[in-house]
Each structure stands twice: as C-alpha cells, then as structure tokens.
Amino acid sequence: QLLDKTYGKTVLSFGSGDGGDRSWLEHAGYDLVCFDIYPGPYTDVVCDGHELPFADGQFDIVVSTAVFEHLYNPFQAAREIFRVLKPGGALIGSAAFLEAYHANSYFHMSHLGLTEVFTRAGFEGLEIHPGWSYVESLNGRFWVWNNVKFISKLTRPWRRLRYKFGMLLWKLAYGYKGRTVPDRVRLGFSGSLI
C-alpha cells in the first residue's frame, strides 16, 4: 500500500535477507536489485549497507524491512540510502522499537529516533506509522511456544485483541478529556515502526 504512493520502477532492497519480498516486487513489475551483507539465493550484490557500491541517484525507491535495528551506524546507512535515491525518491521500511533484542540488533528506535536519523540524512516529508504492537512482539519472542507456527496462529488473535483493548482504553481516557489520542501514544506502544 505504501508503494502506491511512490513513482518509478527501480527498487533497491536494502538488506534483502532471505528475499521474502523479492517475488512480489518483481511480480508487481519493479526493476529490483537486492543486496545483503551475506550471499544468498535472492541476493544480487553482497555489500555493507553503510557503504553502498551504487551510483548517486540510481534508484526510485529503497525498501528496507527490519534492517535498521541491525546496523551499527544507522545515521551513515540513512545517508547512503539518501545518496542512491533519485531526487524525489522514496524510502519505505520498518524498524524495531519495542521489540525484543534479536539477531544482533543494535538500535531499536522510537519514532523520535527514526525522525532524527532520516532528517539528518536529508529526507523530508516523513510519515511514521505503528507496525505490530509491543504485545505481539514481546509475547511472540518470549514464550517459546509462540515460535511454533500452529500455536502462534492460535495466540496471535489474542495478542492483537489485548492491544486493541488497551488502545480503546486510551481512546476513552482522552475522549473523557474531550481530546483525541495523540500519535505519540499510538506510536509509543508499537513493537515496530513503519
């Protein structure tokens, strides 16, 4: 859905990992280049996201899913993304916030942290939305049985319902004051941010 707001067809998958998004991006007609720090079956280029081997202004869109928490210098990586994007290009991605430490993650960032990283890199017009909730991320990682697909499918609706109920309480509390729930509250309880 966020890709619908963008233009252009050249896409860089920043930290493509297992290539989970490759097939649907190619099927949608994007000219895709996938890179990661490790070689893999879906990786076109092996490189470090802190020093991209691509020309300035080469891509219309950069997609980065759950990568920024794994970077030792997210400020440098954001500058590199800005450099390889064409003027007016777009970055679409997600990063962990209230998600548990995982797979050598360094920086789990709040909406303020993400804003700082990308504003310093030169990005404008930032939109930050809540991803999955902290209830889903913490419960999903902590309770070992939630890592079994069958059990996870059973418990996921319960975790989502608990989060929705909590947000309903916030809405009622703010409504009692005659106000709407500010974005910082919705973002503040996100396991990840988009």
Side-chain angles (χ1 to χ4, degrees):
Q1 292 172 339
L2 291 173
L3 279 169
D4 295 342
K5 297 181 177 182
T6 64
Y7 73 91
K9 290 292 185 184
T10 56
V11 176
L12 174 65
S13 179
F14 186 94
S16 56
D18 64 3
D21 56 358
R22 182 174 198 128
S23 63
W24 69 265
L25 284 168
E26 287 179 334
H27 185 263
Y30 291 102
D31 180 15
L32 185 64
V33 175
C34 295
F35 91 83
D36 207 295
I37 197 162
Y38 303 108
Y42 303 102
T43 306
D44 300 314
V45 177
V46 175
C47 67
D48 185 338
H50 299 90
E51 296 179 32
L52 296 173
F54 307 110
D56 294 359
Q58 186 172 341
F59 298 98
D60 297 307
I61 303 163
V62 173
V63 176
S64 173
T65 305
V67 174
F68 264 76
E69 65 265 27
H70 302 287
L71 300 171
Y72 63 81
N73 188 342
F75 290 95
Q76 175 63 29
R79 285 191 298 273
E80 280 293 282
I81 290 173
F82 188 79
R83 180 185 66 76
V84 301
L85 274 172
K86 293 178 182 176
L91 165 64
I92 299 171
S94 64
F97 174 31
L98 297 178
E99 185 180 340
Y101 164 85
H102 59 278
N104 298 323
S105 55
Y106 291 87
F107 296 103
H108 293 223
M109 291 180 269
S110 71
H111 61 290
L112 297 176
L114 286 173
T115 299
E116 188 69 21
V117 165
F118 292 111
T119 300
R120 283 190 187 196
F123 286 90
E124 298 174 353
L126 296 173
E127 291 181 28
I128 298 177
H129 305 277
W132 65 340
S133 75
Y134 78 99
V135 175
E136 292 175 78
S137 64
L138 293 179
N139 280 289
R141 292 231 182 250
F142 182 73
W143 299 108
V144 71
W145 53 77
N146 283 329
N147 291 301
V148 177
K149 276 190 176 184
F150 171 73
I151 294 173
S152 180
K153 284 184 179 183
L154 292 175
T155 60
R156 185 178 302 127
W158 168 244
R159 293 191 304 262
R160 289 187 177 165
L161 182 64
R162 286 179 25 205
Y163 176 73
K164 287 180 181 181
F165 180 71
M167 292 312 296
L168 175 65
L169 293 176
W170 277 104
K171 187 175 180 179
L172 291 172
Y174 273 91
Y176 180 74
K177 298 177 187 180
R179 298 168 44 202
T180 59
V181 179
D183 280 344
R184 65 179 166 75
V185 172
R186 288 186 320 107
L187 296 171
F189 291 108
S190 296
S192 68
L193 296 168
I194 298 171

